Amino acid sequence: MSHWQPFSINGSPNDDAWNLRRVVHLHRRAAWGATWPELEIGVRDGIHASVDRLTNPATTLLHPRTLEIAESAMTRNSVSLLKAAWVNEMWHGSDPLGEQLTLMWHNHFATGFQKVKDCRAMFDQYLKFRKHARSSFHDLVRAMVRDRAMLIWLDGDSNRQGHPNENFARELMELFTLGEGNYSESDVREAARALTGWTARGGEIRFDTNGHDAERKQILGRTDAYDADSLVDLLVSQPATASRIAWRICDHFLGRDRVPDDAIEALAQSLRDSQLNVGKAVEQLIRSSLFFDESQLGARFTSPASFVVSNLRSLELHAVTDGPAIIPEVAAAWMRNMGQDLFQPPGVSGWPGGSSWISAATMIDRTRFAVNIAQGTLHARAPRGDLSALAKRYDEDPVSFPAKLLFGSRERSAEIVSLPQLLTSTLAQFD
Amino acid sequence: MHNRRQFVNRLTALSALSFAGPIPHSLAQISNLSAKDSSQQSLLVIFLDGGNDGINTVIPANDPLYRKFRKRCRVEASRAIAIDDGLFLHPALRSLADVWEHDRLAIVQGVGYPNHSRSHFVSTSVWHSGNLAASPEHGLGFLGQAMDQRQIASDAPLAYSMGTSDTPHLLRGRQTRTAAPPGIVLSEAQGVADLLRSQTPSSTDNLDARLVESQKHSAIQAIDELLRQRPFKDAQLPETPLGRQLGQVAWLVESHNPARVYFLKQAGYDTHSGQMPNHAELLHELSSAVSAFDSRMHQGGHDKRVTTMIFSEFGRRLQENQSEGTDHGKAGPVFLVGGSVIPGLHGSAPNLEQPDDGDLAVTTDFRSIYRAVLQELGDFDDPFVDVVSPIKLFRA
């Protein structure tokens, strides 16, 4: 039986299998949370139209305000502003699924401003993640071997003929493509030679023929005069690469260790069949019976990105009509407090995710965040999160509305639960 | 790591909004576990960022060569604190000298590594990674690696970094997780604890939900502890950036946080010009914060559980420069503080008559100190087994 067959409403024993809970699920995983009107549209339009909206966005152009913030981030080389630009795109962008994939690739090719020290390089890399978010993984890796931020981050810059630096070669094999155990130390040394010649000095990417080792190299049992591109060709053609990408997609959309190995392998096979077309695989996943399975609903540890960006969006604090909205820079700073600092992942292997998001310290920060939202004290003149006002606006029962909005839950609690209680409940630590 | 049982046992019990029932027994078990974990040794690392002038920290004040090379950047014996025959501590280290008097300070002299780099970035990454061929600011840190296996068995981050937004190189591992201290102001603390306490814990069998609840429980405990100890803490640690950060470390240790390594850095040691007043100020802040931290650990009965290690990426040149400062050099002293250290001087002082290209020559490989520390920590992996021998720095 296939885990990835389409989720079927008719095949379900439950008549209203397409319900508010699954609409919330879809938007928490494949977008950045949903406002109440967006949830109502999702319920009304059904699964196909709801998924189509995410997989076929009308445009993938950056939101004008995102560009503005990014421009000033680059002018001042301010990484806090760059984070703000990204949060703005998560909130207001026309391609929320693409933005989820962009975060997935940032985590996969985890590159940190702390070493790159250049917002322009970080933003360029971010644009590549967006551009190739749904394309062939092959194109994305080709873009990465000539990416300035990546070359600085993994010392590709100091990798020259006669002075090979194995850093990039090792991570390219271990983290980005094949995965551990699928290559030898000698493959790393030889691959480092293939990658020689690319430099990022003076703010520009250049291929220096004199710095490139054009001799033959033996990699994964094959001998050729490999260069960066033919090395990438070789690596992405290995079956192990599809397995690693399938794992990454499942990790991002379903959470760490939430998918059985045979399902990951089945998704890997789909990827191989499509020449690593990521968009296809992701679409297959978010239409699947496994994605919408009861066991997956509310079963993933909520990441700081989801806790901050999606909750604020559901509460409509990202776009207040009658006053200033939450400042995206502040939202990004809270994500950092909770352990997910955009553009500054903890190391080359990205954020460990899963249960690592939850600690006493992060629970304190999530609680403080919730209290500050409710009090309107996230920053000066910040809007106040107000569930009763939202319930009133949408003519909903104030007692049941909060859990419907945030969890798609139909249970009616005995009394009104306050926003801080709701956001610090154990339930809210999962999405 | 994939666990099919966990996969099957997903959160079916989580659909109800508020949970009913008593605190599960597992909570008590989890608390016991963490209490046991935190009874193990932990390490506080203070990194003196910029290259501390070691010879003006532990000073051969009467050595004619010291007096010859240092005219303006010189500490006179009459003002310094004598600790050994011909060896003095900088006068700004007055409170650390008390720690020395109480037999709780070890000083390892002439520490560095072969072919010492004078680059901040290269040398910092060498010290942080333990790898002589390390690349600046990248790769794994020696403590991060040493803790990887322990982290797999622990749900809580095993490392804390105070006052840094990213994970310091030293703590980077494949598994090791680094947390920042709860950035909670006291005016908010009670409200946060009350809110968390107001929630009825679930009686769920779901392991993930239990993890969340146990962490909330730890958060409440940590805040209670913070509030309980506040007057004591305020009375004890200096109101300086370093003092405040060490106050947080003290709080975490006293709260039996399962973390095993705490990292903080004090910047400003790159004293190329106008060194004397700046250096004295830095050493004063360091000394008063560390000695207050040590006495608080000692009074609380925690001092056998935590050792402090203080190092810098390099010492400075023997010959002062023309700007009343000193340039990048090589060997420098490493300090270890706590109830488990063998107090006194260790290693041999660099011989000023035989400098290494104008710098203090290295007499002790820094990794031999790391090895001693790793052995003291007990259950960490030791990446340097085949590289150097440990030196004896801790009581049996």
Side-chain angles (χ1 to χ4, degrees), chain A residues 130-141:
Chain A
R130 288 190 93 242
K131 180 179 170 196
H132 297 294
R134 293 178 171 86
S135 62
S136 161
F137 183 68
H138 197 153
D139 295 342
L140 180 56
V141 186

Side-chain angles (χ1 to χ4, degrees), chain A residues 21 114-115 117 153-155 165 167 170-171 174-175 180 257-262 290 294-301 336 341 344 346-349 352 355-361 363-365 367-368 370-372 403 407 409 411 413 417-418 420-422 424-427 429-430, chain B residues 1-4 6-8 10-12 14-19 121 135-140 155-157 160 165-167 172-175 177 179-185 188 191-193 195-196 198-199 202 206-213 215-216 218-220 222-223 251 257:
Chain A
R21 203 154 158 245
Q114 59 268 36
K115 180 168 174 187
K117 295 187 168 73
W153 174 241
L154 291 182
D155 308 308
N165 184 313
N167 199 358
R170 181 180 304 280
E171 306 306 3
E174 179 179 339
L175 298 170
E180 213 168 5
D257 301 333
R258 292 298 194 246
V259 179
D261 292 342
D262 59 334
L290 178 58
E294 177 70 29
S295 66
Q296 300 290 347
L297 304 181
R300 180 182 72 168
F301 285 101
R336 184 186 80 183
D341 196 9
Q344 312 215 77
V348 67
S349 56
S355 61
S356 79
W357 294 131
I358 306 294
S359 70
M363 284 312 304
I364 289 175
D365 278 320
T367 308
R368 291 177 54 227
V371 170
N372 280 294
F407 313 130
S409 163
E411 276 91 7
S413 46
V417 180
S418 75
Q421 278 178 324
L422 202 65
T424 55
S425 68
T426 298
L427 195 60
Q429 313 317 314
F430 296 90
Chain B
M1 287 289 284
H2 176 68
N3 183 328
R4 186 174 300 266
Q6 281 188 8
F7 174 72
V8 177
R10 269 323 97 207
L11 306 183
T12 45
L14 269 180
S15 50
L17 178 57
S18 53
F19 299 108
F121 303 107
S135 73
E137 292 190 51
H138 182 260
L140 302 179
D155 288 325
Y160 267 84
S165 61
D166 62 333
T167 304
R172 284 181 217 150
R174 300 238 173 234
Q175 303 292 336
R177 289 191 283 117
I184 190 158
V185 294
E188 280 183 342
V192 167
L195 185 61
L196 288 173
S198 74
Q199 295 173 7
S202 135
N206 182 277
L207 294 175
D208 293 335
R210 281 197 200 167
L211 168 71
V212 170
E213 291 185 357
Q215 293 299 344
K216 285 191 201 172
S218 309
I220 295 168
I223 292 174
W251 169 56
N257 188 290

Side-chain angles (χ1 to χ4, degrees), chain A residues 48-70:
Chain A
H48 298 300
S50 299
V51 173
D52 287 348
R53 242 192 304 277
L54 297 172
T55 53
N56 298 308
T59 170
T60 58
L61 287 178
L62 280 175
H63 189 271
R65 179 80 187 121
T66 304
L67 262 179
E68 250 174 64
I69 305 172

Side-chain angles (χ1 to χ4, degrees), chain B residues 326-342:
Chain B
T326 51
D327 298 324
H328 302 179
K330 291 177 183 153
V334 170
F335 288 62
L336 293 125
V337 184
S340 303
V341 301
I342 299 173

Side-chain angles (χ1 to χ4, degrees), chain B residues 162-343:
Chain B
M162 327 305 281
T164 61
S165 61
D166 62 333
T167 304
H169 192 167
L170 187 80
L171 299 177
R172 284 181 217 150
R174 300 238 173 234
Q175 303 292 336
T176 298
R177 289 191 283 117
T178 299
I184 190 158
V185 294
L186 289 165
S187 57
E188 280 183 342
Q190 192 64 59
V192 167
D194 289 348
L195 185 61
L196 288 173
R197 223 190 298 270
S198 74
Q199 295 173 7
T200 322
S202 135
S203 55
T204 175
D205 284 338
N206 182 277
L207 294 175
D208 293 335
R210 281 197 200 167
L211 168 71
V212 170
E213 291 185 357
S214 75
Q215 293 299 344
K216 285 191 201 172
H217 184 67
S218 309
I220 295 168
Q221 289 176 319
I223 292 174
D224 286 349
E225 199 71 7
L226 171 74
L227 293 170
R228 194 173 65 73
Q229 300 200 341
R230 182 163 61 102
F232 183 50
K233 176 186 134 182
D234 287 352
Q236 294 249 330
L237 282 160
E239 271 299 317
T240 59
L242 202 61
R244 279 189 288 273
Q245 288 176 349
L246 280 176
Q248 290 175 316
V249 174
W251 169 56
L252 288 164
V253 171
E254 288 156 0
S255 312
H256 288 263
N257 188 290
R260 303 292 302 281
V261 174
Y262 303 93
F263 175 86
L264 55 87
K265 72 177 178 189
Q266 186 194 16
Y269 283 93
D270 197 16
T271 48
H272 287 284
S273 61
Q275 171 172 314
M276 292 304 277
N278 292 333
H279 192 232
E281 202 172 305
L282 288 166
L283 291 181
H284 177 72
E285 182 187 3
L286 176 70
S287 162
S288 50
V290 168
S291 63
F293 174 81
D294 178 65
S295 76
R296 180 162 153 186
M297 289 293 103
H298 186 46
Q299 286 167 22
H302 303 291
D303 62 319
K304 293 272 194 310
R305 284 177 43 220
V306 57
T307 298
T308 303
M309 173 167 73
I310 305 169
F311 67 82
S312 188
E313 71 264 41
F314 43 62
R316 306 194 78 82
R317 306 221 73 162
L318 188 47
Q319 171 73 60
E320 66 191 13
N321 65 22
Q322 304 296 310
S323 332
E324 299 179 20
T326 51
D327 298 324
H328 302 179
K330 291 177 183 153
V334 170
F335 288 62
L336 293 125
V337 184
S340 303
V341 301
I342 299 173

Side-chain angles (χ1 to χ4, degrees), chain A residues 193-333:
Chain A
R193 292 175 52 212
L195 291 170
T196 50
W198 287 96
T199 67
R201 268 168 232 115
E204 245 177 276
I205 281 287
R206 254 194 228 104
F207 182 71
D208 167 19
T209 319
N210 295 328
H212 177 65
D213 178 345
E215 299 294 307
R216 290 159 75 81
K217 300 108 190 163
Q218 191 183 24
I219 304 172
L220 301 172
R222 292 174 186 229
T223 305
D224 205 340
Y226 285 108
D227 62 11
D229 283 338
S230 52
L231 172 67
V232 170
D233 295 345
L234 176 69
L235 295 179
V236 299
S237 70
Q238 301 294 307
T241 296
S243 303
R244 178 137 183 96
I245 300 317
W247 170 84
R248 173 60 75 192
I249 293 170
C250 293
D251 178 62
H252 186 82
F253 288 96
L254 294 166
R256 186 133 302 184
D257 301 333
R258 292 298 194 246
V259 179
D261 292 342
D262 59 334
I264 295 180
E265 196 37 46
L267 193 66
Q269 194 52 52
S270 297
L271 279 161
R272 286 176 207 124
D273 295 343
S274 70
Q275 274 75 53
L276 304 183
N277 184 317
V278 172
K280 262 191 170 172
V282 168
E283 183 164 351
Q284 185 181 10
L285 181 140
I286 64 174
R287 286 190 196 280
S288 71
S289 56
L290 178 58
F291 181 72
F292 284 111
D293 192 80
E294 177 70 29
S295 66
Q296 300 290 347
L297 304 181
R300 180 182 72 168
F301 285 101
T302 307
S303 69
S306 186
F307 197 81
V308 172
V309 177
S310 297
N311 280 330
L312 288 174
R313 202 171 176 286
S314 295
L315 293 166
E316 299 186 39
L317 296 174
H318 67 306
V320 180
T321 43
D322 53 353
I326 294 294
I327 298 170
E329 209 171 336
V330 172

